[in-house]
Amino acid sequence: MDRADFSVDPHLLRRGLLDNGYSELPILSKHVVATGTLPPIHKDPFDRLLVAQAIVEGITLLTADARVAEYPGPVQYV
């Protein structure tokens, strides 16, 4: 997906999010362990970790990746 029209300084984005009440979610061992319960839909280990983290934490993962959106649980394709 080409996002040439979207340019952002990651440092400014992070600062803006934190200043507006967003918090960072660390990756914990329980998230890593939960990847073992996921079906083999997607082979990218980081994407699988994000899905597992969303499941464990009870939050919704927003994704532009149709394959990631196939996982059961709190994953929403945008």
Side-chain angles (χ1 to χ4, degrees):
M1 180 180 302
D2 183 17
R3 295 290 182 160
D5 62 333
F6 183 75
S7 177
V8 65
D9 179 324
H11 302 329
L12 290 176
L13 177 61
R14 178 181 179 270
R15 183 76 265 147
L17 290 169
L18 294 174
D19 288 348
N20 283 283
Y22 288 83
S23 60
E24 296 176 319
L25 183 60
I27 296 172
L28 304 173
S29 59
K30 64 183 177 180
H31 303 139
V32 176
V33 171
T35 63
T37 66
L38 296 175
I41 295 171
H42 198 285
K43 293 183 180 183
D44 184 305
F46 188 71
D47 286 343
R48 291 174 57 81
L49 181 57
L50 292 175
V51 172
Q53 188 179 41
I55 291 168
V56 169
E57 298 299 329
I59 58 176
T60 301
L61 173 64
L62 302 178
T63 182
D65 186 325
R67 294 289 294 164
V68 173
E70 292 178 24
Y71 279 102
V75 182
Q76 182 177 345
Y77 183 69
V78 293

